């Protein structure tokens, strides 16, 4: 229903219509989602039927505090994905000027623009700023010294692959909100679970906008289980490291030049990104190109059983 | 995190702390949730892992259009429960005066008050109005002639037990929004699935506030399945009718007087509602009383295996 188009990737439906093949046979490498997701496991039947109570909500936020080492003074709110707070954050303050460290994925810009904010080309004297940390698509990292605006959004949707780089310690600075997502590192984008962490007054405002039971019972349960499982997280980071090396080697041998990214997605420099996208699409593999750079191709990591098809497509 | 207290029922956790017993052994009759929910069934693993695509979102809204016979001109948006749009609707227009047909559950009043609206005691000359149809707790029904304000909210969270009474035909009137919920009739409150139906401009505004993927993949799938299953709905209405008669007879024999409600919850007149609530609580059955009427006791329907305990408690 949204009026602002967002080039959020995905779009395998459209690709399948254009290039043929059944949607279920396509390999979607256009996102940055871990292809070996956290196992959903058994779900207590009550999680579907009962209104999520405060005990279940607290169990999740306490697990989040431990997993991300959230400072005690920062507030924590579970949300239906990270997209919901991204859409609502521009409503926390009167529309002003916001700086968004670019290039990055355009969900933040779209949300600010819809609510009357102006996107400022430079950080100086802005009312708000957004950093995606690490950045998508290039993997750029930031430090606390990059934060200046009165309202500062640190989108750590992709940060769980490099926990030591997290800027979570900044969540105690007034006006700061850190975003976390379950859709990427845990590979559970359909679960719709995210977190907003930081300034208690701003977090309370977001909670009021979302209403009293924003997150589904199964998401509370699965989320708590995953956040209480640091061993899975450690193993996953190692596997993603190895798969990233394998993907970079494969693409380098095919003539692309790795530019960076994270271990959830890789950015490559190629002669003609659209031609690469089409070539992969003829093998029913969907990749990501960017309207602002004709040489950039982004690939997510293939699932274990998908490597052979990607290798064949690039042979 | 919300600052406005809401007497939304539930609260079995608190009751178990006060009256003892393990929470899992309590019978919660304090809500109006169908105790024999729609069977969740198998869930496509992709529903957890993939970002819900437009095909899955469309399949759900098309099923909703058929099930509720939604006029073509009205827009339909799936939301994370009905609570999310309830919290956001007051932000659609500048704060003014709203009439909320009373007494009703206080989620609407809390949302309007939080955003600076004044609750008007009479409908005349208000900027907005809310009817809960059928009303909770007394089951009162409304007609189109009760609708006068420029912004009109018809909360049909409990209407699926009496589909012929639906005011869905009003969803084509500018300024009108009809709310639907999966938490009551289908008994899936933990799923967090609701709908907002009506004025395309207002629905688009709510969609923007919620962000692009407001509803979880499993909820899209289960919701579509349920809405494409009118036979289950028919059987459920019959069962709820029979259980309502059984509950009214039981309570009448125990000295309470049925005042109405719906076939999802029943309102009773008793000498001292708090004394009744305490009496049931000693049997670890949680019921609902109201701060504004000391004689009103509300009970949801017991699940099949719960009747004997309720009968024993009232013997």
């Amino acid at each position: 229903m949204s009026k602002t188009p967002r080039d959020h990737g995905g779009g395998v439906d459209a690709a399948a219509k254009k290039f043929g093949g059944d949607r279920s046979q396509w390999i979607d490498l256009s996102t940055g989602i871990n292809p070996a997701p956290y196992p959903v496991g058994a779900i207590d039947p009550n999680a579907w039927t009962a209104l999520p109570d405060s005990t279940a909500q607290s169990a999740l936020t306490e697990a989040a505090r431990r997993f991300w080492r959230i400072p005690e003074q920062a507030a924590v709110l579970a949300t239906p994905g990270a997209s919901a707070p991204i859409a609502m954050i521009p409503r926390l303050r009167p529309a002003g000027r916001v700086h968004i460290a670019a290039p990055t994925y355009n969900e933040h810009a779209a949300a600010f623009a819809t609510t009357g904010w102006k996107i400022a080309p430079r950080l100086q004297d802005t009312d708000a700023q957004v950093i995606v940390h690490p950045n998508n698509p290039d993997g750029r990292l930031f430090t606390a010294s990059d934060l200046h605006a009165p309202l500062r959004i640190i989108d750590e949707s992709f940060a769980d692959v490099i926990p030591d780089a997290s800027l979570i310690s900044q969540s105690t600075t007034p006006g700061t909100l850190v975003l976390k997502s379950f859709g990427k590192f845990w590979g559970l984008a359909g679960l719709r679970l995210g977190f907003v962490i930081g300034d208690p007054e701003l977090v309370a405002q977001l909670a009021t906008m979302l209403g009293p039971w924003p997150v589904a019972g199964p998401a509370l349960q699965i989320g708590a289980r995953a956040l209480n499982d640091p061993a899975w997280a450690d193993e996953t980071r190692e596997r993603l490291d190895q798969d990233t090396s394998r993907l970079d080697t494969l693409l380098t041998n095919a003539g692309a030049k790795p530019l960076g990214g994270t271990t959830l997605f890789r950015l490559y420099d190629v002669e003609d990104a659209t031609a690469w996208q089409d070539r992969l699409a003829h093998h029913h593999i969907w990749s990501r190109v960017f309207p602002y750079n004709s040489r950039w191709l982004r690939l997510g990591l293939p699932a274990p059983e998908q490597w052979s098809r990607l290798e064949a497509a690039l042979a």
Side-chain angles (χ1 to χ4, degrees), chain A:
Chain A
M1 299 293 315
S2 169
K3 284 170 185 169
T4 313
R6 293 162 163 85
D7 65 330
H8 52 66
V12 174
D13 282 334
K17 267 179 201 142
K18 184 173 172 191
F19 293 92
D22 188 73
R23 192 210 184 290
S24 65
Q25 286 159 353
W26 275 71
I27 295 175
D28 187 3
L29 303 184
S30 73
T31 68
I33 296 177
N34 177 357
Y38 188 78
V40 166
I43 295 164
D44 178 353
N46 279 331
W48 297 107
T49 56
L51 213 44
D53 61 28
S54 55
T55 306
Q57 302 200 33
S58 302
L60 177 63
T61 50
E62 286 311 308
R65 283 191 180 277
R66 284 189 298 271
F67 188 87
W68 285 304
R69 300 175 189 195
I70 299 172
E72 212 180 309
Q73 310 94 296
V76 180
L77 176 71
T79 58
S83 298
I86 288 173
M88 290 171 191
I89 282 168
R91 297 166 200 270
L92 291 173
R93 298 266 172 95
R97 294 169 66 250
V98 59
H99 180 261
I100 299 171
T104 194
Y105 75 108
N106 63 5
E107 203 61 27
H108 291 282
F112 276 99
T114 301
T115 45
W117 286 71
K118 300 287 173 227
I119 312 295
R122 289 184 312 156
L123 180 52
Q124 219 176 350
D125 300 327
T126 60
D127 306 290
Q129 76 176 106
V130 177
I131 58 172
V132 180
H133 174 80
N135 190 44
N136 173 358
D138 61 3
R140 178 183 168 195
L141 291 173
F142 297 81
T143 65
S145 64
D146 293 312
L147 299 165
H148 300 285
L151 177 64
R152 43 188 67 186
I153 313 306
I154 305 169
D155 180 345
E156 292 203 341
S157 288
F158 295 95
D160 294 299
V161 291
I162 42 169
D164 292 343
S166 173
L167 291 170
I168 195 70
S169 61
Q170 295 303 306
S171 61
T172 56
T173 306
T176 303
L177 294 172
V178 178
L179 304 181
K180 297 285 189 180
S181 166
F182 248 71
K184 282 76 174 192
F185 180 67
W186 286 275
L188 297 173
L191 188 65
R192 307 317 295 139
L193 179 61
F195 291 86
V196 56
I197 299 160
D199 188 322
E201 205 177 306
L202 299 176
V203 172
Q205 278 186 62
L206 290 170
T208 302
M209 286 188 209
L210 279 167
W213 304 281
V215 172
L220 294 176
Q221 197 170 106
I222 296 163
R225 211 182 282 158
L227 290 170
N228 285 321
D229 191 354
W232 182 90
D234 287 341
E235 287 159 23
T236 296
R237 285 182 200 112
E238 269 182 47
R239 179 180 47 77
L240 292 172
D241 280 347
Q242 290 163 11
D243 283 359
T244 293
S245 300
R246 182 175 175 184
L247 188 64
D248 279 359
T249 303
L250 179 61
L251 269 285
T252 302
N253 291 342
K257 185 182 156 206
L259 293 176
T262 72
T263 58
L264 288 164
F265 56 80
R266 304 304 291 166
L267 187 65
Y268 299 101
D269 180 73
V270 293
E271 178 75 29
D272 178 347
T274 304
W276 277 69
Q277 187 181 53
D278 285 359
R279 175 180 165 195
L280 291 168
H282 282 114
H283 290 82
H284 299 166
I285 296 169
W286 194 231
S287 60
R288 186 67 186 285
V289 297
F290 298 89
Y292 52 79
N293 192 321
S294 65
R295 297 184 59 95
W296 280 9
L297 178 76
R298 200 192 67 191
L299 290 179
L301 297 178
E305 73 280 7
Q306 295 172 338
W307 284 95
S308 56
R309 268 180 60 193
L310 180 62
E311 283 159 359
L314 292 173

